[in-house]
Amino acid sequence: MIFLRIVACFASLLVAIADVSAQSLSIEQSRREKVFILDGAGSSRQLVVTELTVAKKHADLTRDAKYSITPANIARIDANGFVTPLQEGQGTITAKLADGRSTSLPVKVANMRADHPVHFNEQIVPLFSKFGCNTGGCHGKTGGQNGFALSLFGFEPQEDFEALVKESRVRRIVLTSPDASLLLAKPAGTMSHGGGRKFQVDSAPYRIVRRWIEQGLPAVPKNVAEVTGIEVLPQERTLAQSGQQQLAVIAHRADGTSFDATAFAQFEVNDTELAEVSSTGLVKAKARPGSFSVMARYQTHVDVFRALVPLGAPIVKMPAANNFIDTLVFKRLNTLGLPPSEFADDMTFLRRVTVDLAGRLPTIDETKAFLASKDTNRREQAVDKLLASPDYAYYFANKWGAILRNRRKSDKDDPKITAAFHKWIKESLEQNKPYDQFVREIVTVTGPHTEKPMVAWYREVNSINEQVEDVTQLFLGQRIMCARCHHHPLEKWSQQDYYGFAAFFSRVEFKSPPPPKKDKGAKVALPQPAMTVMHKPGLAESKNPRTGLSVRPTGLGSMSLSLKADDDPRVALVDWMADKNNPYFAKALANRYWKHFFGRGLNEPEDDMRVTNPPSNPELLEALAKHFADNKYDLKNLVRTMVLSNAYRLSSEPNEHNAGDRQNFSRFQLRRLTAEVFLDAIDDLAQIRSTFKGMPAGTRAIQLPDNQVDSYFLSVFGRPDFASACECERSGDANLAQSLHMVNSKDVMNKLDKGRATKLAKDTRPHAERVREIYLLAYSREPSAEETRAVVAYVERVGNAQRAYEDLLWTIVNTKEFMFNH
């Protein structure tokens, strides 16, 4: 036995030794780079030293290594691995660790004698961007700052060159004494500067600007290919909590050459609660698990570094997977070491899914039937029944009506227009119209609003700019508004992309007959004239205001289309969007619905799915989009798949590990009932329905067709104004006005006093049975024995059953359990 133990220990030691010896070091390089080169005196390189073990775990050792170069006189390397050239030659860079391990890389330093002219576009303008000089709050705003104007974010480098070289050069730039130039003295802090110090004297940025002045302010060098893209190294990493990772940015030119742009790039982290990043590209994770990304921007190009920070807690047992959603959610939780919460009980599930699908509380009969059911498929049956109900269609028509801007600007607008559009949306959802067809009928609508209710959308988005920006945000998850005037600062979209998309709407024409004449003595408002959307035959094109050139219809990131004069370009647009290989269409809807059911989008905000704001679980978003497209854009199928996943069943109660998790769905996210659902829930509990001016008696709040149906309750609890395609209009935040309304509103008090409370007071059943009924309706659960005893004791102590039940109902509607979906 002792011998076996010795053998086992020796074997373990060998494994440990093997693991250590298998650890390898490397200096990160782009696969597109053939040679590690420093080209000219203004060049630099950021080294990134990586350790890789046989367990495939990476560690950044950039700041742990000691650096040397042979021969020593060709370049200089600081303690952070930043390399600058000294003289021409070839040599070897070595990074060595304290334990003796090392890695080497050949390097070439070239064109030091020729002294390349400083490249204004590649080196000077990016520095203005890196240090914030050309932002809207500084010299990039209209009119500039203190007489010095730069183009916003450096998107017009030629204008910047003209401003620097030809305007007010006497003090701004002093060719005979570069260090006296305001262009250096102010950002270096040797002269007072409203923007503060941006860099140190003799730092790399200082030397670049100084060399440009010394060289006589050269323009863009001839015969230098343009930069076509950038690459962040590394692309992905798993970091320890409070761990760090050095990034490098490699710029690639059209001729195949590359250079290091780390010193000129801007860095920005998408979640400051999880990480921070320095101006030199050093990423530091915080002591919190999750995933985050860091955007690197250079000129008009962007790329992203993605990081995962595990918690590393032991997971005793992961829930079983009910479908592909669970497989991918639980896979991510396993990777993070983030144990999920337990399953919610069946009654919580019933209330949760009824609120999320039908926008109401379960009825007492539904709750009792679900409690009594022994069928193992009772959850599936409940979901199918809800999806088949009018409540589902009304609730989601309320959602879609808001983001499709089905609004009246005042109560003088004809309510028939919004009512007809609302009815069309509701019936489309009820029929389970395929989503691509739903979108097609809105975007390509032709005819008068009296015959085609979808024209109501064009009433609100009646300019090409609004049509472009609503379609891309609502149906593609891309916010491209910025590209109307300049290249998008956080994305790859340019003005060319914007106006290529605008060409799809260039042949839309609106026609409205003159309004009917009103008799002087008439008191009744006359109906509004019919608005007609028409396709005007002709060549579909748009003009790029910057270049002055015409642009043909072009899908985002796609090729331009050649359409005939009789073709409606909007049809071609929807054809492109609805193609199952479109990279945006299915993802945008899947992410929007994911947020509806799980409280947070995989991309957040849900309609901002830019490359620099990657999803928290990319694999899951891809799978959802593929499932949606493969099932022919079946909305009910997608909804059913989401709510029947075991991930959706998780409890909202956190365990000891996941209380801070907001992005990995290790528990259900508590969220307050929306304004309409909350009002209907109070009405259901009180057994008195709210009345709305101009609406039939018995109309529920979720059935209201537009935003102009007056209700102070809905306004104070965050009903959206239907003024944009953004669901951010709807507010779920608590405020003092809401609390005061629940305490002081006569409308709320009258409902609680005169409805169910009166009936309960007259009821002859034991108080315990009456309390059970209230709990089943309000919370979809049985009251505990302690709750029953406490309430019954209170009713008996008060002596006035009417008043006691009023108090009970008021208390319930103000509890978090009632006000929240959980």
Side-chain angles (χ1 to χ4, degrees), residues 131 133 138 185-199:
F131 296 112
C133 307
C138 199
K186 286 200 169 188
T190 59
M191 184 177 289
S192 177
H193 181 218
R197 175 177 284 173
K198 298 299 182 182
F199 47 70

Side-chain angles (χ1 to χ4, degrees), residues 5-229:
R5 288 178 180 173
I6 293 173
V7 170
C9 291
F10 183 67
S12 300
L13 180 60
L14 288 177
V15 169
I17 293 172
D19 185 59
V20 170
S21 64
Q23 290 174 342
S24 62
L25 292 180
S26 64
I27 297 175
E28 298 281 344
Q29 263 193 293
S30 169
R31 293 180 181 178
R32 295 169 61 179
E33 286 187 291
K34 296 179 180 179
V35 182
F36 191 99
I37 188 169
L38 291 164
D39 188 18
S43 62
S44 60
R45 277 310 275 248
Q46 174 61 60
L47 301 179
V48 178
V49 179
T50 300
E51 176 187 61
L52 177 65
T53 71
V54 290
K56 303 297 181 183
K57 293 182 180 179
H58 296 89
D60 177 38
L61 300 179
T62 304
R63 279 165 170 72
D64 297 300
K66 300 294 183 183
Y67 300 98
S68 61
I69 185 166
T70 305
N73 60 351
I74 66 170
R76 175 173 49 203
I77 310 176
D78 70 14
N80 298 329
F82 189 72
V83 188
T84 51
L86 295 174
Q87 66 179 39
E88 291 186 18
Q90 296 187 26
T92 302
I93 291 175
T94 300
K96 189 173 184 179
L97 299 180
D99 62 10
R101 288 179 296 148
S102 65
T103 184
S104 297
L105 187 71
V107 61
K108 179 180 179 181
V109 179
N111 295 309
M112 294 293 289
R113 301 186 189 95
D115 193 20
H116 284 319
V118 172
H119 195 308
F120 184 79
N121 289 10
E122 286 186 358
Q123 295 176 293
I124 302 299
V125 174
L127 288 178
F128 293 149
S129 298
K130 186 179 183 74
F131 296 112
C133 307
N134 54 23
T135 60
C138 199
H139 299 288
K141 66 184 178 184
T142 304
Q145 181 87 356
N146 296 329
F148 180 29
L150 295 169
S151 65
L152 188 63
F153 302 123
F155 291 142
E156 300 296 339
Q158 186 57 39
E159 294 179 10
D160 294 338
F161 182 80
E162 298 287 332
L164 283 167
V165 173
K166 298 182 179 180
E167 295 177 10
S168 304
R169 229 182 69 184
V170 177
R171 292 186 62 217
R172 187 176 298 156
I173 295 176
V174 184
L175 291 175
T176 56
S177 180
D179 296 299
S181 302
L182 296 183
L183 193 63
L184 276 173
K186 286 200 169 188
T190 59
M191 184 177 289
S192 177
H193 181 218
R197 175 177 284 173
K198 298 299 182 182
F199 47 70
Q200 300 291 331
V201 174
D202 203 37
S203 63
Y206 187 97
R207 292 195 298 270
I208 290 290
V209 177
R210 193 180 194 284
R211 284 185 62 243
W212 182 63
I213 297 173
E214 285 177 332
Q215 291 176 353
L217 314 178
V220 177
K222 296 180 180 180
N223 303 321
V224 176
E226 288 190 0
V227 173
T228 56

Side-chain angles (χ1 to χ4, degrees), residues 526-538:
L526 296 173
Q528 293 178 329
M531 174 182 173
T532 300
V533 176
M534 303 173 61
H535 165 241
K536 183 180 180 181

Side-chain angles (χ1 to χ4, degrees), residues 223-226 228 252-258:
N223 303 321
V224 176
E226 288 190 0
T228 56
H252 300 290
R253 297 192 184 99
D255 61 1
T257 60
S258 302

